[in-house]
Amino acid sequence: QVQLVESGGGSVQAGASLRLSCTVSLRTPSSYVIGWFRQAPGKEREFVAAISGARTTQYADSVKGRFTISRVNARTPVYLQMNNLKPEDSAVYYCAARPSGSSDFGYWGQGTQVTVSA
């Protein structure tokens, strides 16, 4: 059974940092790409960052230089270190998984709220 569980959200002031964690339960985790997405009220869900089993990373332009996605290995949590947070980063953050050969993130966590005040 595939399960993704996010944690680490909270309320902070602009300029602060947070680290989100995504605990992944997959039979072959090294064969999956893990991504972080976010959705703010009234807006569409958007891609934030992703990391492959080989630890190749990808970022949205809006978070480059501020956010870092990482994992020690395919069986450890995937982290999203968020620095210099801005009010526009406020959203529900979701982690998701897709097989390496697919473009569809078919597995999703329940989300964790991040609120950044000015």
Side-chain angles (χ1 to χ4, degrees):
Q1 183 177 355
V2 177
Q3 190 173 20
L4 297 93
V5 179
E6 305 95 334
S7 63
S11 297
V12 297
Q13 291 190 321
S17 299
L18 279 175
R19 189 178 78 161
L20 305 183
S21 298
C22 176
T23 300
V24 179
S25 298
L26 291 166
R27 181 167 294 182
T28 55
S30 61
S31 301
Y32 285 78
V33 173
I34 307 300
W36 283 98
F37 293 77
R38 65 187 181 187
Q39 187 167 22
K43 295 188 176 181
E44 292 188 355
R45 185 171 59 199
E46 64 174 355
F47 170 78
V48 176
I51 188 166
S52 70
R55 290 185 282 180
T56 300
T57 58
Q58 185 181 7
Y59 295 94
D61 288 343
S62 59
V63 305
K64 279 181 182 177
R66 299 188 300 123
F67 290 12
T68 302
I69 189 170
S70 66
R71 67 197 306 184
V72 174
N73 58 56
R75 296 196 175 275
T76 58
V78 174
Y79 299 105
L80 185 68
Q81 177 68 42
M82 306 186 295
N83 298 329
N84 190 23
L85 283 161
K86 304 176 180 181
E88 51 265 40
D89 294 319
S90 297
V92 177
Y93 283 71
Y94 300 90
C95 74
R98 64 169 175 85
S100 297
S102 171
S103 60
D104 294 329
F105 284 89
Y107 305 103
W108 293 83
Q110 83 288 350
T112 186
Q113 177 71 48
V114 172
T115 303
V116 185
S117 58

